[in-house]
Amino acid sequence: MTKTERPEWVDDELFPFQSRFVAIDGHTIHYVDEGSGPTLLFLHGNPTWSFVYRDVIGALRDQFRCIALDYPGFGLSSARPDYRHLPEEHIKVVTSFVDALTLSKVTLVAHDWGGPIGLATVGQRPAVFERLVLTNTWGWPNGDPKAHIAAHMMGGPVGRLLIRQLNLFVNATIPIGHRLRKPTAEEMDHYRKALATPDRREATAVLPRRITASRALLAEVEANLPNLASLPTLIIWGNADVVFGDKERRRWEQLFPDHHTVIIEGGGHFVQSDAPDRFAAAIRDWRMREPG
């Protein structure tokens, strides 16, 4: 994959969008920018990329401007050689991306690691963001024993070796994270090929450990949440997620009084891919009801 060319393995029918590239802090950032209307900024988690939102973008681009980027080292983005793939670094990149595109009046759509990364970006650029869509994510230090076990197992030496050598995070979490449908072989190929080499997989190997190692960052995100509490917020929640459950959803509902919740019954962790039609309909219906 060259730095500014879309690789041949990307299927134009599965991902029917123009691939765009922008230089950010020494990285080459891939993104899509489709449609016109109110701006939606989609942030992915681990180990996915903008591809995870493809059906949602396809359903919404007739009424919205849909922007989705890949963090350095994920998807079709390239990282500069000294990049460590830390969430702290991703926040700087996303903030610079928002500046580079001179975005305004944005609705953040954040999933998984996109939650703390996106909410930190909102804290950096509060005048840019007007609304939030939070889906199966978190924004505080995670004290759940399951999270600590996962961080130790997947973020430790053995877990990182398996991720780097066998693409374990993609091969395990993508199928488990879909409960309403099974990802096709072609879809799985698009996740695998985006992380096709051990060096590319370092991006996804780093983040499990950061669930606990980035406690200071997550505490900063948490401390700023009261400053965002007035933002209208849509909570889309797959209730069959093995990662985030009712406890996290209820906390979001308490933090954001002006919220509307849509529960996707039976939806897995990757709910935007598991139930894209319902996901898109939830955004459309909520956004069209909101003034402005």
Side-chain angles (χ1 to χ4, degrees), residues 93-242:
V93 169
V94 174
T95 302
S96 296
F97 177 85
V98 167
D99 293 343
L101 269 64
T102 60
L103 299 181
S104 63
K105 298 182 178 181
V106 174
T107 296
L108 171 71
V109 184
H111 171 253
D112 189 77
W113 269 104
I117 291 168
L119 291 167
T121 301
V122 176
Q124 293 289 324
R125 298 292 185 270
V128 170
F129 293 88
E130 294 188 338
R131 296 169 179 82
L132 304 174
V133 178
L134 302 173
T135 176
N136 294 74
T137 187
W138 87 113
W140 45 81
N142 197 325
D144 190 324
K146 292 186 298 182
H148 288 267
I149 292 171
H152 178 74
M153 292 179 60
M154 299 297 288
V158 174
R160 289 184 66 163
L161 179 65
L162 292 173
I163 290 170
R164 284 178 55 88
Q165 298 301 320
L166 302 178
N167 215 350
L168 177 66
F169 218 64
V170 166
N171 290 324
T173 64
I174 299 297
I176 291 172
H178 288 74
R179 293 299 188 91
L180 296 173
R181 71 176 193 89
K182 180 180 179 180
T184 66
E186 292 76 16
E187 289 170 335
M188 288 300 299
D189 278 347
H190 279 67
Y191 292 114
R192 293 184 181 111
K193 290 179 179 178
L195 300 168
T197 66
D199 287 344
R200 286 288 292 180
R201 293 175 204 143
E202 182 64 18
T204 194
V206 165
L207 288 177
R209 177 70 174 172
R210 305 313 297 185
I211 294 170
T212 54
S214 289
R215 186 176 182 84
L217 167 66
L218 294 168
E220 289 179 12
V221 173
E222 179 183 31
N224 192 53
L225 291 177
N227 297 325
L228 310 181
S230 63
L231 294 176
T233 300
L234 172 64
I235 300 166
I236 307 177
W237 212 256
N239 68 355
D241 187 358
V242 298

Side-chain angles (χ1 to χ4, degrees), residues 26-71:
H27 314 290
T28 300
I29 301 301
H30 168 263
Y31 69 103
V32 298
D33 187 345
E34 296 285 321
S36 60
T39 300
L40 306 174
L41 176 63
F42 297 89
L43 295 186
H44 66 83
N46 189 28
T48 58
W49 54 291
S50 52
F51 182 80
V52 76
Y53 286 109
R54 67 199 179 281
D55 290 331
V56 174
I57 293 171
L60 292 177
R61 62 178 170 174
D62 59 337
Q63 293 174 280
F64 298 89
R65 181 186 180 188
C66 299
I67 302 172
L69 72 151
D70 305 334
Y71 311 135

Side-chain angles (χ1 to χ4, degrees), residues 6-19 190:
R6 175 161 158 150
E8 293 183 358
W9 56 259
V10 179
D11 189 316
D12 291 340
E13 292 186 6
L14 274 181
F15 197 66
F17 315 120
Q18 178 184 352
S19 286
H190 279 67

